[in-house]
């Protein structure tokens, strides 16, 4: 039997709780990307990879979007994020992080960053 990596059954309850109790930044971001609003890309909320739960994930281009609050800027938070990002990179997933307030102040920049990543992904895929 092949080992499951995505959306492990043991994390279903936690993923559901995170979706239902999301931050305001996550709700605003979800409205920016849901219904394939960016280049027709489908994003999932609270998608797990291994034991990590990603805020948003687009399987088509293997892109994780993380919205970071103040904890992520502490020494412990930075260390955990680095370990997590390295693990995801080993799985072929790229992580783009945005500070929570950036979602409110610069939604166009977020949209453009995802579009730019998508274009680069497609270029690499053609090689």
């Amino acid at each position: 039997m092949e080992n499951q990596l995505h959306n492990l059954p043991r994390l279903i309850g936690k993923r559901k709780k995170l979706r239902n109790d999301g931050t305001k930044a996550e709700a605003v971001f979800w409205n920016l990307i849901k219904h394939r609003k960016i280049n027709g890309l489908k994003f999932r909320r609270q998608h797990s990879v291994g034991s990590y739960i990603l805020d948003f994930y687009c399987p088509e281009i293997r892109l994780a979007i993380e919205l970071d609050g103040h904890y992520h800027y502490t020494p412990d938070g930075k260390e955990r994020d680095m370990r997590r990002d390295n693990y995801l990179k080993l799985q072929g997933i790229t992580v783009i992080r945005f500070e929570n307030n950036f979602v409110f102040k610069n939604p166009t920049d977020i949209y453009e960053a995802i579009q730019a990543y998508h274009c680069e992904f497609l270029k690499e895929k053609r090689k």
Side-chain angles (χ1 to χ4, degrees):
M1 180 182 201
E2 192 173 322
N3 288 339
Q4 182 176 352
L5 181 64
H6 292 264
N7 291 332
L8 297 172
R10 68 180 169 81
L11 295 175
I12 289 172
K14 187 171 183 181
R15 290 174 48 239
K16 184 175 182 178
K17 181 172 178 22
L18 288 169
R19 269 194 306 277
N20 292 334
D21 298 337
T23 65
K24 184 165 177 137
E26 289 173 341
V28 168
F29 184 77
W30 181 242
N31 281 324
L32 291 174
I33 64 170
K34 69 180 178 180
H35 304 303
R36 300 178 184 263
K37 290 179 185 171
I38 301 178
N39 294 9
L41 298 170
K42 180 179 177 70
F43 281 85
R44 298 175 180 169
R45 293 184 301 156
Q46 306 305 334
H47 179 90
S48 67
V49 177
S51 61
Y52 295 107
I53 299 176
L54 311 176
D55 291 337
F56 301 93
Y57 178 65
C58 178
E60 181 181 345
I61 59 173
R62 303 184 63 76
L63 176 65
I65 303 291
E66 290 294 306
L67 304 182
D68 295 341
H70 68 278
Y71 167 77
H72 294 270
Y73 300 100
T74 66
D76 286 345
K78 288 178 184 180
E79 176 65 30
R80 284 185 183 196
D81 287 346
M82 186 176 68
R83 280 195 311 269
R84 174 188 171 120
D85 291 356
N86 287 338
Y87 172 81
L88 294 169
K89 186 176 182 177
L90 288 172
Q91 307 311 315
I93 297 170
T94 299
V95 178
I96 298 178
R97 294 180 171 280
F98 297 103
E99 198 272 326
N100 282 341
N101 287 328
F102 196 81
V103 174
F104 306 114
K105 296 176 182 176
N106 305 87
T108 302
D109 291 348
I110 292 172
Y111 186 89
E112 289 172 358
I114 295 170
Q115 281 186 314
Y117 177 81
H118 184 215
C119 288
E120 286 301 313
F121 180 87
L122 293 175
K123 283 180 191 174
E124 288 297 316
K125 192 174 174 181
R126 285 187 214 125
K127 287 183 181 180

